[in-house]
Short mmCIF file of all heavy atoms in Angstrom, two decimals:
data_model
loop_
_atom_site.label_atom_id
_atom_site.label_comp_id
_atom_site.label_asym_id
_atom_site.label_seq_id
_atom_site.Cartn_x
_atom_site.Cartn_y
_atom_site.Cartn_z
N MET A 1 0.86 -1.21 0.00
CA MET A 1 0.00 -0.02 0.00
C MET A 1 0.87 1.26 0.01
O MET A 1 1.80 1.34 0.81
CB MET A 1 -0.89 0.01 1.26
CG MET A 1 -2.31 0.45 0.95
SD MET A 1 -3.34 0.33 2.43
CE MET A 1 -4.02 1.97 2.44
N PRO A 2 0.61 2.18 -0.89
CA PRO A 2 1.43 3.40 -0.90
C PRO A 2 1.21 4.22 0.34
O PRO A 2 0.10 4.26 0.91
CB PRO A 2 0.95 4.14 -2.16
CG PRO A 2 -0.35 3.56 -2.55
CD PRO A 2 -0.49 2.25 -1.87
N LYS A 3 2.27 4.85 0.76
CA LYS A 3 2.19 5.66 1.97
C LYS A 3 1.47 6.96 1.69
O LYS A 3 1.73 7.61 0.67
CB LYS A 3 3.61 5.97 2.46
CG LYS A 3 3.67 6.04 3.97
CD LYS A 3 5.10 6.12 4.43
CE LYS A 3 5.14 6.38 5.94
NZ LYS A 3 6.49 6.56 6.42
N VAL A 4 0.59 7.33 2.57
CA VAL A 4 -0.14 8.59 2.41
C VAL A 4 0.44 9.57 3.41
O VAL A 4 0.60 9.28 4.59
CB VAL A 4 -1.65 8.41 2.69
CG1 VAL A 4 -2.39 9.74 2.56
CG2 VAL A 4 -2.24 7.41 1.70
N TYR A 5 0.84 10.73 2.92
CA TYR A 5 1.40 11.76 3.76
C TYR A 5 0.36 12.85 4.00
O TYR A 5 -0.56 13.01 3.21
CB TYR A 5 2.60 12.39 3.08
CG TYR A 5 3.72 11.43 2.80
CD1 TYR A 5 3.88 10.89 1.52
CD2 TYR A 5 4.60 11.06 3.82
CE1 TYR A 5 4.90 9.97 1.27
CE2 TYR A 5 5.61 10.18 3.54
CZ TYR A 5 5.77 9.63 2.28
OH TYR A 5 6.78 8.77 2.05
N SER A 6 0.54 13.57 5.07
CA SER A 6 -0.29 14.74 5.22
C SER A 6 0.53 15.97 4.87
O SER A 6 1.74 16.02 5.13
CB SER A 6 -0.92 14.85 6.62
OG SER A 6 -0.02 14.40 7.60
N CYS A 7 -0.10 16.92 4.25
CA CYS A 7 0.58 18.12 3.80
C CYS A 7 1.23 18.80 4.98
O CYS A 7 0.61 18.97 6.06
CB CYS A 7 -0.46 19.04 3.14
SG CYS A 7 0.21 20.61 2.61
N SER A 8 2.49 19.20 4.81
CA SER A 8 3.23 19.82 5.89
C SER A 8 2.70 21.22 6.24
O SER A 8 3.06 21.79 7.26
CB SER A 8 4.71 19.91 5.54
OG SER A 8 5.24 18.61 5.39
N PHE A 9 1.89 21.79 5.35
CA PHE A 9 1.37 23.10 5.61
C PHE A 9 -0.08 23.13 6.04
O PHE A 9 -0.42 23.66 7.07
CB PHE A 9 1.60 24.02 4.39
CG PHE A 9 1.45 25.46 4.71
CD1 PHE A 9 2.49 26.21 5.23
CD2 PHE A 9 0.21 26.10 4.56
CE1 PHE A 9 2.32 27.54 5.61
CE2 PHE A 9 0.05 27.43 4.88
CZ PHE A 9 1.11 28.15 5.42
N CYS A 10 -0.95 22.51 5.21
CA CYS A 10 -2.37 22.59 5.51
C CYS A 10 -2.89 21.36 6.25
O CYS A 10 -4.00 21.41 6.80
CB CYS A 10 -3.19 22.84 4.25
SG CYS A 10 -3.35 21.42 3.19
N GLY A 11 -2.14 20.28 6.29
CA GLY A 11 -2.54 19.11 7.04
C GLY A 11 -3.43 18.14 6.27
O GLY A 11 -3.79 17.10 6.78
N LYS A 12 -3.80 18.50 5.05
CA LYS A 12 -4.61 17.63 4.21
C LYS A 12 -3.80 16.43 3.77
O LYS A 12 -2.57 16.52 3.66
CB LYS A 12 -5.12 18.36 2.97
CG LYS A 12 -6.38 19.16 3.22
CD LYS A 12 -6.85 19.73 1.89
CE LYS A 12 -7.67 20.99 2.11
NZ LYS A 12 -7.65 21.83 0.93
N GLN A 13 -4.47 15.32 3.42
CA GLN A 13 -3.77 14.16 2.93
C GLN A 13 -3.27 14.45 1.53
O GLN A 13 -3.94 15.03 0.70
CB GLN A 13 -4.68 12.94 2.92
CG GLN A 13 -4.84 12.35 4.29
CD GLN A 13 -5.41 10.94 4.23
OE1 GLN A 13 -5.91 10.48 3.22
NE2 GLN A 13 -5.38 10.26 5.35
N VAL A 14 -2.03 13.99 1.28
CA VAL A 14 -1.42 14.13 -0.05
C VAL A 14 -1.55 12.78 -0.75
O VAL A 14 -1.05 11.78 -0.27
CB VAL A 14 0.05 14.54 0.05
CG1 VAL A 14 0.64 14.74 -1.33
CG2 VAL A 14 0.23 15.81 0.87
N GLU A 15 -2.28 12.75 -1.85
CA GLU A 15 -2.43 11.53 -2.63
C GLU A 15 -1.07 11.12 -3.15
O GLU A 15 -0.32 11.91 -3.64
CB GLU A 15 -3.36 11.78 -3.82
CG GLU A 15 -4.79 12.14 -3.44
CD GLU A 15 -5.57 10.94 -2.91
OE1 GLU A 15 -5.34 9.82 -3.39
OE2 GLU A 15 -6.39 11.13 -1.99
N PRO A 16 -0.77 9.81 -3.05
CA PRO A 16 0.49 9.32 -3.63
C PRO A 16 0.58 9.68 -5.11
O PRO A 16 -0.35 9.49 -5.87
CB PRO A 16 0.43 7.80 -3.42
CG PRO A 16 -0.57 7.60 -2.35
CD PRO A 16 -1.57 8.74 -2.47
N GLY A 17 1.71 10.22 -5.52
CA GLY A 17 1.90 10.58 -6.91
C GLY A 17 1.49 12.01 -7.21
O GLY A 17 1.76 12.54 -8.27
N SER A 18 0.85 12.68 -6.24
CA SER A 18 0.50 14.06 -6.45
C SER A 18 1.18 14.90 -5.39
O SER A 18 1.80 14.39 -4.47
CB SER A 18 -1.03 14.25 -6.41
OG SER A 18 -1.46 14.16 -5.07
N GLY A 19 1.04 16.19 -5.53
CA GLY A 19 1.71 17.08 -4.57
C GLY A 19 3.20 17.10 -4.80
O GLY A 19 3.68 16.61 -5.81
N LEU A 20 3.92 17.70 -3.87
CA LEU A 20 5.37 17.74 -4.04
C LEU A 20 6.08 17.55 -2.73
O LEU A 20 5.57 17.79 -1.64
CB LEU A 20 5.79 19.02 -4.74
CG LEU A 20 5.17 20.36 -4.29
CD1 LEU A 20 6.12 21.07 -3.35
CD2 LEU A 20 4.93 21.23 -5.51
N THR A 21 7.31 17.06 -2.87
CA THR A 21 8.13 16.76 -1.73
C THR A 21 9.31 17.73 -1.71
O THR A 21 9.86 18.04 -2.77
CB THR A 21 8.66 15.29 -1.84
OG1 THR A 21 7.53 14.44 -1.89
CG2 THR A 21 9.51 14.94 -0.63
N TYR A 22 9.62 18.23 -0.56
CA TYR A 22 10.70 19.21 -0.43
C TYR A 22 11.60 18.75 0.72
O TYR A 22 11.14 18.40 1.79
CB TYR A 22 10.08 20.56 -0.11
CG TYR A 22 11.08 21.70 -0.09
CD1 TYR A 22 11.60 22.20 -1.27
CD2 TYR A 22 11.43 22.32 1.11
CE1 TYR A 22 12.48 23.25 -1.25
CE2 TYR A 22 12.29 23.39 1.14
CZ TYR A 22 12.84 23.85 -0.05
OH TYR A 22 13.74 24.91 -0.02
N VAL A 23 12.91 18.74 0.45
CA VAL A 23 13.85 18.29 1.46
C VAL A 23 14.64 19.51 1.97
O VAL A 23 15.25 20.22 1.17
CB VAL A 23 14.81 17.20 0.91
CG1 VAL A 23 15.72 16.71 2.02
CG2 VAL A 23 14.03 16.05 0.31
N LEU A 24 14.57 19.71 3.24
CA LEU A 24 15.35 20.83 3.83
C LEU A 24 16.82 20.45 3.97
O LEU A 24 17.17 19.28 3.90
CB LEU A 24 14.80 21.13 5.24
CG LEU A 24 13.35 21.59 5.36
CD1 LEU A 24 13.00 21.82 6.84
CD2 LEU A 24 13.10 22.86 4.58
N ARG A 25 17.64 21.45 4.13
CA ARG A 25 19.09 21.19 4.25
C ARG A 25 19.41 20.32 5.42
O ARG A 25 20.42 19.63 5.45
CB ARG A 25 19.82 22.53 4.38
CG ARG A 25 20.02 23.16 3.02
CD ARG A 25 20.95 24.33 3.12
NE ARG A 25 20.78 25.23 1.96
CZ ARG A 25 21.34 26.38 1.83
NH1 ARG A 25 22.11 26.84 2.79
NH2 ARG A 25 21.15 27.12 0.78
N ASN A 26 18.58 20.35 6.44
CA ASN A 26 18.85 19.51 7.62
C ASN A 26 18.31 18.10 7.45
O ASN A 26 18.37 17.31 8.37
CB ASN A 26 18.31 20.19 8.90
CG ASN A 26 16.77 20.29 8.90
OD1 ASN A 26 16.09 19.67 8.09
ND2 ASN A 26 16.22 21.10 9.80
N GLY A 27 17.80 17.79 6.26
CA GLY A 27 17.34 16.44 6.01
C GLY A 27 15.89 16.17 6.26
O GLY A 27 15.38 15.10 5.97
N THR A 28 15.17 17.17 6.80
CA THR A 28 13.76 17.04 7.03
C THR A 28 13.00 16.99 5.72
O THR A 28 13.21 17.83 4.85
CB THR A 28 13.24 18.22 7.88
OG1 THR A 28 14.00 18.29 9.07
CG2 THR A 28 11.77 18.01 8.26
N ILE A 29 12.16 15.99 5.56
CA ILE A 29 11.37 15.85 4.33
C ILE A 29 9.98 16.39 4.57
O ILE A 29 9.27 16.00 5.52
CB ILE A 29 11.30 14.37 3.88
CG1 ILE A 29 12.73 13.89 3.58
CG2 ILE A 29 10.44 14.24 2.63
CD1 ILE A 29 12.80 12.37 3.39
N LEU A 30 9.57 17.34 3.74
CA LEU A 30 8.24 17.93 3.85
C LEU A 30 7.42 17.56 2.63
O LEU A 30 7.96 17.45 1.53
CB LEU A 30 8.35 19.45 3.93
CG LEU A 30 9.13 20.02 5.13
CD1 LEU A 30 9.36 21.49 4.95
CD2 LEU A 30 8.41 19.72 6.44
N HIS A 31 6.13 17.34 2.85
CA HIS A 31 5.23 17.01 1.73
C HIS A 31 4.20 18.11 1.64
O HIS A 31 3.64 18.57 2.63
CB HIS A 31 4.56 15.67 2.01
CG HIS A 31 5.53 14.55 2.14
ND1 HIS A 31 6.01 13.85 1.07
CD2 HIS A 31 6.13 14.01 3.24
CE1 HIS A 31 6.88 12.94 1.51
NE2 HIS A 31 6.98 13.01 2.82
N PHE A 32 3.93 18.51 0.39
CA PHE A 32 2.93 19.55 0.17
C PHE A 32 1.91 19.05 -0.79
O PHE A 32 2.21 18.40 -1.79
CB PHE A 32 3.60 20.82 -0.35
CG PHE A 32 4.55 21.43 0.64
CD1 PHE A 32 5.90 21.18 0.54
CD2 PHE A 32 4.10 22.21 1.68
CE1 PHE A 32 6.80 21.73 1.49
CE2 PHE A 32 4.95 22.76 2.62
CZ PHE A 32 6.31 22.51 2.52
N CYS A 33 0.60 19.34 -0.54
CA CYS A 33 -0.47 18.86 -1.37
C CYS A 33 -0.58 19.67 -2.65
O CYS A 33 -1.08 19.19 -3.65
CB CYS A 33 -1.81 18.86 -0.60
SG CYS A 33 -2.40 20.52 -0.20
N SER A 34 -0.11 20.90 -2.62
CA SER A 34 -0.26 21.76 -3.82
C SER A 34 0.83 22.81 -3.79
O SER A 34 1.51 23.04 -2.78
CB SER A 34 -1.64 22.43 -3.80
OG SER A 34 -1.71 23.26 -2.65
N SER A 35 0.98 23.47 -4.95
CA SER A 35 1.97 24.53 -5.02
C SER A 35 1.54 25.71 -4.15
O SER A 35 2.36 26.53 -3.75
CB SER A 35 2.16 25.00 -6.48
OG SER A 35 0.95 25.37 -7.04
N LYS A 36 0.23 25.79 -3.89
CA LYS A 36 -0.25 26.87 -3.01
C LYS A 36 0.37 26.73 -1.61
O LYS A 36 0.90 27.67 -1.06
CB LYS A 36 -1.79 26.73 -2.90
CG LYS A 36 -2.43 27.74 -1.99
CD LYS A 36 -3.89 27.33 -1.76
CE LYS A 36 -4.57 28.23 -0.74
NZ LYS A 36 -5.93 27.73 -0.40
N CYS A 37 0.34 25.50 -1.09
CA CYS A 37 0.91 25.25 0.24
C CYS A 37 2.42 25.48 0.21
O CYS A 37 3.02 26.05 1.13
CB CYS A 37 0.60 23.84 0.69
SG CYS A 37 -1.13 23.66 1.13
N PHE A 38 3.08 24.98 -0.87
CA PHE A 38 4.52 25.13 -1.01
C PHE A 38 4.91 26.61 -1.04
O PHE A 38 5.83 27.04 -0.39
CB PHE A 38 4.96 24.40 -2.27
CG PHE A 38 6.47 24.41 -2.46
CD1 PHE A 38 7.32 23.92 -1.48
CD2 PHE A 38 7.03 24.92 -3.62
CE1 PHE A 38 8.69 23.90 -1.66
CE2 PHE A 38 8.39 24.92 -3.80
CZ PHE A 38 9.23 24.44 -2.82
N LYS A 39 4.15 27.37 -1.82
CA LYS A 39 4.40 28.80 -1.96
C LYS A 39 4.28 29.47 -0.60
O LYS A 39 5.12 30.31 -0.22
CB LYS A 39 3.38 29.39 -2.94
CG LYS A 39 3.98 30.16 -4.06
CD LYS A 39 2.91 30.81 -4.92
CE LYS A 39 2.49 29.89 -6.06
NZ LYS A 39 1.31 30.40 -6.78
N ASN A 40 3.24 29.15 0.13
CA ASN A 40 3.02 29.78 1.42
C ASN A 40 4.15 29.40 2.39
O ASN A 40 4.59 30.22 3.21
CB ASN A 40 1.69 29.36 1.99
CG ASN A 40 0.55 30.24 1.47
OD1 ASN A 40 0.27 31.29 2.00
ND2 ASN A 40 -0.07 29.81 0.36
N PHE A 41 4.63 28.16 2.27
CA PHE A 41 5.75 27.73 3.10
C PHE A 41 7.00 28.52 2.78
O PHE A 41 7.72 29.02 3.64
CB PHE A 41 5.99 26.24 2.93
CG PHE A 41 7.27 25.77 3.59
CD1 PHE A 41 7.30 25.55 4.94
CD2 PHE A 41 8.40 25.55 2.86
CE1 PHE A 41 8.46 25.15 5.60
CE2 PHE A 41 9.58 25.14 3.45
CZ PHE A 41 9.60 24.91 4.83
N LYS A 42 7.25 28.69 1.44
CA LYS A 42 8.44 29.41 0.99
C LYS A 42 8.38 30.90 1.42
O LYS A 42 9.42 31.52 1.63
CB LYS A 42 8.58 29.32 -0.53
CG LYS A 42 8.91 27.92 -1.04
CD LYS A 42 10.40 27.61 -0.84
CE LYS A 42 11.17 27.91 -2.11
NZ LYS A 42 12.58 27.51 -1.98
N LEU A 43 7.17 31.42 1.53
CA LEU A 43 6.99 32.81 1.95
C LEU A 43 7.22 32.93 3.47
O LEU A 43 7.19 34.03 3.98
CB LEU A 43 5.59 33.28 1.60
CG LEU A 43 5.31 33.56 0.12
CD1 LEU A 43 3.83 33.79 -0.10
CD2 LEU A 43 6.06 34.77 -0.35
N GLY A 44 7.39 31.79 4.10
CA GLY A 44 7.65 31.84 5.54
C GLY A 44 6.41 32.01 6.39
O GLY A 44 6.48 32.41 7.54
N ARG A 45 5.25 31.73 5.76
CA ARG A 45 4.01 31.85 6.52
C ARG A 45 3.93 30.76 7.58
O ARG A 45 4.38 29.65 7.37
CB ARG A 45 2.81 31.75 5.59
CG ARG A 45 2.78 32.88 4.58
CD ARG A 45 1.41 33.56 4.52
NE ARG A 45 1.50 34.79 3.74
CZ ARG A 45 1.07 34.87 2.47
NH1 ARG A 45 0.52 33.83 1.86
NH2 ARG A 45 1.17 35.99 1.83
N ASP A 46 3.30 31.08 8.68
CA ASP A 46 3.14 30.12 9.77
C ASP A 46 1.78 29.45 9.62
O ASP A 46 0.74 30.12 9.63
CB ASP A 46 3.21 30.87 11.10
CG ASP A 46 3.23 29.93 12.28
OD1 ASP A 46 2.91 28.76 12.12
OD2 ASP A 46 3.58 30.41 13.39
N PRO A 47 1.75 28.10 9.45
CA PRO A 47 0.43 27.41 9.31
C PRO A 47 -0.49 27.68 10.47
O PRO A 47 -1.72 27.67 10.29
CB PRO A 47 0.80 25.94 9.26
CG PRO A 47 2.26 25.85 8.95
CD PRO A 47 2.86 27.17 9.44
N LYS A 48 0.07 27.94 11.61
CA LYS A 48 -0.74 28.22 12.81
C LYS A 48 -1.48 29.53 12.70
O LYS A 48 -2.44 29.79 13.41
CB LYS A 48 0.14 28.21 14.07
CG LYS A 48 0.68 26.87 14.41
CD LYS A 48 1.30 26.89 15.80
CE LYS A 48 2.17 25.68 16.05
NZ LYS A 48 3.51 25.82 15.46
N LYS A 49 -1.01 30.39 11.76
CA LYS A 49 -1.65 31.69 11.59
C LYS A 49 -2.38 31.78 10.24
O LYS A 49 -2.75 32.86 9.80
CB LYS A 49 -0.60 32.79 11.67
CG LYS A 49 -0.01 32.94 13.07
CD LYS A 49 1.18 33.87 13.05
CE LYS A 49 1.90 33.87 14.40
NZ LYS A 49 3.21 34.49 14.30
N THR A 50 -2.51 30.65 9.57
CA THR A 50 -3.15 30.60 8.28
C THR A 50 -4.52 29.96 8.41
O THR A 50 -4.60 28.76 8.67
CB THR A 50 -2.27 29.83 7.27
OG1 THR A 50 -0.95 30.39 7.31
CG2 THR A 50 -2.81 29.91 5.88
N PRO A 51 -5.58 30.74 8.25
CA PRO A 51 -6.92 30.22 8.55
C PRO A 51 -7.33 28.96 7.77
O PRO A 51 -8.11 28.16 8.29
CB PRO A 51 -7.82 31.41 8.16
CG PRO A 51 -6.98 32.60 8.30
CD PRO A 51 -5.58 32.13 7.91
N TRP A 52 -6.85 28.75 6.55
CA TRP A 52 -7.28 27.59 5.80
C TRP A 52 -6.44 26.33 6.10
O TRP A 52 -6.66 25.28 5.52
CB TRP A 52 -7.31 27.88 4.28
CG TRP A 52 -6.09 28.53 3.73
CD1 TRP A 52 -5.91 29.91 3.55
CD2 TRP A 52 -4.86 27.95 3.30
NE1 TRP A 52 -4.64 30.14 3.02
CE2 TRP A 52 -3.99 28.95 2.86
CE3 TRP A 52 -4.42 26.60 3.25
CZ2 TRP A 52 -2.73 28.71 2.38
CZ3 TRP A 52 -3.13 26.36 2.76
CH2 TRP A 52 -2.31 27.41 2.34
N SER A 53 -5.49 26.47 7.02
CA SER A 53 -4.67 25.31 7.36
C SER A 53 -5.29 24.55 8.54
O SER A 53 -5.90 25.16 9.41
CB SER A 53 -3.27 25.80 7.77
OG SER A 53 -2.55 24.74 8.37
N ALA A 54 -5.11 23.22 8.51
CA ALA A 54 -5.62 22.40 9.64
C ALA A 54 -4.85 22.67 10.89
O ALA A 54 -5.29 22.34 12.00
CB ALA A 54 -5.54 20.92 9.27
N TYR A 55 -3.66 23.29 10.75
CA TYR A 55 -2.83 23.59 11.92
C TYR A 55 -3.16 24.94 12.54
O TYR A 55 -2.53 25.35 13.50
CB TYR A 55 -1.35 23.55 11.56
CG TYR A 55 -0.92 22.21 11.01
CD1 TYR A 55 -0.49 22.06 9.71
CD2 TYR A 55 -0.91 21.09 11.84
CE1 TYR A 55 -0.11 20.85 9.18
CE2 TYR A 55 -0.54 19.84 11.36
CZ TYR A 55 -0.11 19.74 10.03
OH TYR A 55 0.28 18.53 9.54
N TYR A 56 -4.11 25.63 11.90
CA TYR A 56 -4.45 26.98 12.36
C TYR A 56 -4.97 26.93 13.79
O TYR A 56 -5.81 26.12 14.17
CB TYR A 56 -5.56 27.56 11.44
CG TYR A 56 -6.02 28.94 11.83
CD1 TYR A 56 -5.12 30.03 11.77
CD2 TYR A 56 -7.32 29.15 12.24
CE1 TYR A 56 -5.55 31.29 12.11
CE2 TYR A 56 -7.74 30.44 12.57
CZ TYR A 56 -6.84 31.49 12.53
OH TYR A 56 -7.27 32.76 12.87
N VAL A 57 -4.45 27.82 14.56
CA VAL A 57 -4.90 27.92 15.97
C VAL A 57 -5.58 29.29 16.11
O VAL A 57 -4.95 30.32 15.92
CB VAL A 57 -3.68 27.84 16.93
CG1 VAL A 57 -4.16 27.95 18.37
CG2 VAL A 57 -2.95 26.52 16.73
N ALA A 58 -6.87 29.23 16.37
CA ALA A 58 -7.62 30.46 16.51
C ALA A 58 -7.16 31.20 17.77
O ALA A 58 -6.98 30.63 18.84
CB ALA A 58 -9.11 30.15 16.61
N ARG A 59 -6.91 32.47 17.57
CA ARG A 59 -6.46 33.28 18.72
C ARG A 59 -7.64 33.80 19.47
O ARG A 59 -8.66 34.16 18.91
CB ARG A 59 -5.65 34.48 18.19
CG ARG A 59 -4.43 34.07 17.44
CD ARG A 59 -3.22 34.41 18.26
NE ARG A 59 -2.02 33.90 17.60
CZ ARG A 59 -0.81 34.39 17.87
NH1 ARG A 59 -0.66 35.36 18.71
NH2 ARG A 59 0.25 33.84 17.28
N LYS A 60 -7.46 33.87 20.76
CA LYS A 60 -8.54 34.36 21.61
C LYS A 60 -8.51 35.88 21.62
O LYS A 60 -7.44 36.46 21.53
CB LYS A 60 -8.40 33.82 23.01
CG LYS A 60 -8.89 32.40 23.08
CD LYS A 60 -8.68 31.80 24.48
CE LYS A 60 -8.91 30.30 24.48
NZ LYS A 60 -8.55 29.69 25.75
ZN1 ZN B 101 -1.61 21.51 1.68
#
């Protein structure tokens, strides 16, 4: 069975064969469901502050 990853930015499941994989210099492997998530990651956005991300934490 192919491994299913969750998007490192929005938390959605990444279908095997779709999305993109990004390896950091420290060896950490990140998976992104779409270029949208990858772009936001490259922009340095924090998923915890991004309302459409599953990692978003609503501020009180
Ligand atoms: Zn995503």
Side-chain angles (χ1 to χ4, degrees):
M1 220 176 130
K3 213 172 173 184
V4 178
Y5 299 100
S6 36
C7 177
S8 297
F9 195 84
C10 74
K12 275 186 207 155
Q13 282 196 348
V14 182
E15 296 287 326
S18 74
L20 45 99
T21 301
Y22 186 73
V23 184
L24 299 179
R25 278 190 201 174
N26 65 14
T28 304
I29 299 170
L30 299 170
H31 300 275
F32 296 98
C33 67
S34 63
S35 56
K36 178 191 174 188
C37 288
F38 183 58
K39 235 184 269 172
N40 277 274
F41 171 78
K42 291 281 266 184
L43 286 169
R45 297 229 169 102
D46 188 346
K48 292 191 194 81
K49 292 172 189 165
T50 308
W52 48 265
S53 167
Y55 301 114
Y56 179 65
V57 179
R59 298 250 174 160
K60 281 177 190 171

